[in-house]
Amino acid sequence: MDAGTIKEFRKFKSIDKYNTGTNTSFLLPFRFHQVNNEKEVLVNEVGDFLIVPIGTSTRIANRQINDKEEIYADLIANFFISEKPIPDLIDILATRYRTKKSFLDEFTALHIFVVSLRCNHSCHYCQVSRVSENKQDFDISIADLKAGIEHMFRTPSSSITMEFQGGEPLLAFDKVKYGIQYANLLNKVHNKEITFVICTNATVFSDEILEFCAQHNVVISTSLDGPAFLHNANRPKTGTKSYEMVMQGIELAREKLGHDKISVLMTTTTLSLDYPIEIIDNYIENGFSNIFLRPISPYGFALKNIKKNHYQTQRYLDFYKKGLDYIIQLNKNGHFMVEDYTTVVLKKILTPFPVSYVDLQSPAGMINNVVVFNYDGSVYATDESRMLAENQDFTFKLGHVQDSYHSLFYGEKAQYFSKFWSNETLAGCADCGFQAYCGADPVFHYASQGDLEGFRPTSDFCTKNMEIIRHIFDLIDREGNDIIKIFNSWINNTPQN
């Protein structure tokens, strides 16, 4: 936005008279961002967009759009301008805005239980201070586990996810088993829809564990960082090669639970940055049709190995774009493959519905969508915030699981965090062209900048998301309906005909 445009925008409020010469219209709130050397995108309050020639936003601000121009009707139809001070269809716009924010309606859905810090791996990017397998003092107590489950059932949400994490949670399988059984017992009264997830490295499965998982319809989530040379370097296990073990575990889980009951997640380390194609091909070879090209997170133990875990955001973006372009080409060639993070963004761009991905929610997903019950009974606002606590930073600790539900979820800490969790009110976000598609993520900004609000011009979160969103719009501008068909197939998780 040039200085002249800024000056024009400041002359009027959110709805102001807009004179075209032959008609009188009124300006509605919208934002804009440059997409490439020729185009910019206009985005309204609910995320509707128009890709237009550069300078269009300035022409709108300067009242230079004539009602005989084709774009005039598009601006009216997409709530950028109105022919009345209050549009006739304002109720529809309000309904669509409520729909975008409807993830707030039922409050906390995801409840993470860290049942143990014990682990049998020594991954250099691990975000928690894991302990050796024999230290059972680092397992959650039954009393704290029960209290956390009882809090879980106090949520207004009719659909909840109970996720077991660690360490390696299956090293404390007795606690996992008890937790699922107690949750099912309570649910006879509460009648909620429950999804059980175990996040495991998939190397400690037994017949007992998998039979129990099959009986209770448990979903398994594990880590796969790509080919053996990458996975073994990123996720070492003393005395053996972890890649062979995780692949054995994946195949065993598929055999016992079904192909759709196990998902995998990769983490991009410095070593990974040179191999996006090889990582994607490895996923395809192992029968997966989706991949999350996930950057490393600046939390906890992962920060101690700077050489392996720290890289410039631009290097990650190059990795991501190369991988995304390859995945798109695979789809063009008839092979269905999905990039998960792109799909989350696309849902915000191309559909009227909210997303459950915490990092891109506004208000932020912390407490509103997720809460963590740690092995020691501490309760945290997000999974990332309990990782900060492993470095003795308890900023995001809400209290102890034995505290009351109200004090944990509506207490002073929760009220304080609410000042920073809506990007609509944050400096640098409120007027960003991509605000409707992004989130606030105060935990990330606190961890990386020491400030819950964050300074957006130097924020890696902003640098990454602004460029990814811009790149997606650039693809839409350059390839039109062809790329939108592929993108819609990702959103619907259904291959094109």
Side-chain angles (χ1 to χ4, degrees), residues 138-368:
F138 290 86
D139 291 1
I140 195 169
S141 70
I142 291 295
D144 287 345
L145 179 57
K146 286 184 65 176
I149 295 170
E150 289 162 5
H151 280 319
M152 179 174 72
F153 280 97
R154 293 185 178 100
T155 180
S157 180
S158 59
S159 178
I160 56 178
T161 296
M162 185 178 188
E163 183 174 295
F164 298 94
Q165 290 193 18
E168 170 48 59
L170 292 180
L171 292 177
F173 177 62
D174 59 323
K175 302 298 172 58
V176 174
K177 184 177 180 179
Y178 179 89
I180 291 175
Q181 291 174 334
Y182 188 57
N184 281 329
L185 177 65
L186 293 185
N187 201 39
K188 292 180 179 179
V189 175
H190 295 278
N191 197 30
K192 294 180 183 289
E193 179 182 341
I194 308 179
T195 300
F196 297 111
V197 179
I198 299 176
C199 297
T200 170
N201 57 39
T203 65
V204 293
F205 287 143
S206 66
D207 289 341
E208 178 192 2
I209 290 172
L210 289 175
E211 287 172 7
F212 180 84
C213 290
Q215 180 183 353
H216 294 278
N217 204 29
V218 175
V219 176
I220 299 296
S221 176
T222 191
S223 294
L224 179 62
D225 281 359
F229 76 93
L230 274 173
H231 187 91
N232 289 335
N234 286 344
R235 301 179 60 81
K237 187 178 187 303
T238 303
T240 188
K241 294 182 178 179
S242 60
Y243 179 81
E244 286 77 3
M245 292 190 69
V246 73
M247 290 313 306
Q248 290 173 5
I250 288 171
E251 291 308 314
L252 188 60
R254 283 173 168 171
E255 178 184 340
K256 298 291 187 180
L257 307 179
H259 198 284
D260 62 332
K261 290 300 180 182
I262 184 161
S263 63
V264 292
L265 187 66
M266 61 84 61
T267 299
T268 305
T269 64
T270 301
L271 178 61
S272 309
L273 291 171
D274 294 325
Y275 303 101
I277 308 304
E278 291 81 355
I279 293 170
I280 294 165
D281 283 344
N282 179 262
Y283 267 59
I284 295 172
E285 291 164 6
N286 287 308
F288 294 102
S289 60
N290 65 296
I291 188 170
F292 182 176
L293 299 174
R294 185 176 69 144
I296 210 156
S297 301
Y299 305 107
F301 190 73
L303 296 176
K304 295 184 179 181
N305 198 326
I306 299 298
K307 184 177 180 180
K308 293 181 179 179
N309 299 330
H310 181 75
Y311 43 77
Q312 296 297 319
T313 301
Q314 186 55 53
R315 284 202 66 196
Y316 166 75
L317 289 169
D318 292 341
F319 165 88
Y320 164 82
K321 290 179 185 178
K322 187 175 180 180
L324 180 62
D325 288 347
Y326 182 60
I327 293 170
I328 289 172
Q329 191 59 51
L330 287 171
N331 281 265
K332 289 179 179 178
N333 294 338
H335 186 99
F336 183 64
M337 186 70 180
V338 177
E339 203 291 310
D340 289 340
Y341 193 75
T342 307
T343 304
V344 172
V345 177
L346 287 169
K347 287 179 180 178
K348 302 196 79 172
I349 292 175
L350 297 177
T351 82
F353 304 112
V355 299
S356 59
Y357 186 68
V358 173
D359 294 3
L360 292 182
Q361 288 180 327
S362 178
M366 56 188 300
I367 306 174
N368 292 308

Side-chain angles (χ1 to χ4, degrees), residues 305-453:
N305 198 326
I306 299 298
K307 184 177 180 180
K308 293 181 179 179
N309 299 330
H310 181 75
Y311 43 77
Q312 296 297 319
T313 301
Q314 186 55 53
R315 284 202 66 196
Y316 166 75
L317 289 169
D318 292 341
F319 165 88
Y320 164 82
K321 290 179 185 178
K322 187 175 180 180
L324 180 62
D325 288 347
Y326 182 60
I327 293 170
I328 289 172
Q329 191 59 51
L330 287 171
N331 281 265
K332 289 179 179 178
N333 294 338
H335 186 99
F336 183 64
M337 186 70 180
V338 177
E339 203 291 310
D340 289 340
Y341 193 75
T342 307
T343 304
V344 172
V345 177
L346 287 169
K347 287 179 180 178
K348 302 196 79 172
I349 292 175
L350 297 177
T351 82
F353 304 112
V355 299
S356 59
Y357 186 68
V358 173
D359 294 3
L360 292 182
Q361 288 180 327
S362 178
M366 56 188 300
I367 306 174
N368 292 308
N369 194 31
V370 61
V371 69
V372 178
F373 303 106
N374 206 18
Y375 74 97
D376 61 357
S378 300
V379 182
Y380 294 98
T382 66
D383 193 26
E384 293 79 10
S385 58
R386 68 108 175 178
M387 297 167 186
L388 291 172
E390 295 298 330
N391 285 337
Q392 305 304 306
D393 187 333
F394 300 101
T395 300
F396 297 95
K397 180 178 177 180
L398 301 175
H400 193 273
V401 71
Q402 300 295 339
D403 296 338
S404 71
Y405 183 86
H406 189 276
S407 68
L408 291 170
F409 289 81
Y410 299 99
E412 291 183 5
K413 279 248 178 141
Q415 293 180 40
Y416 176 71
F417 297 149
S418 69
K419 299 177 182 179
F420 308 98
W421 65 24
S422 296
N423 65 5
E424 291 89 344
T425 65
L426 298 177
C429 289
D431 56 356
C432 176
F434 297 148
Q435 177 259 314
Y437 312 126
C438 201
D441 206 343
V443 179
F444 179 96
H445 287 98
Y446 175 83
S448 60
Q449 296 185 325
D451 182 349
L452 275 76
E453 181 169 358

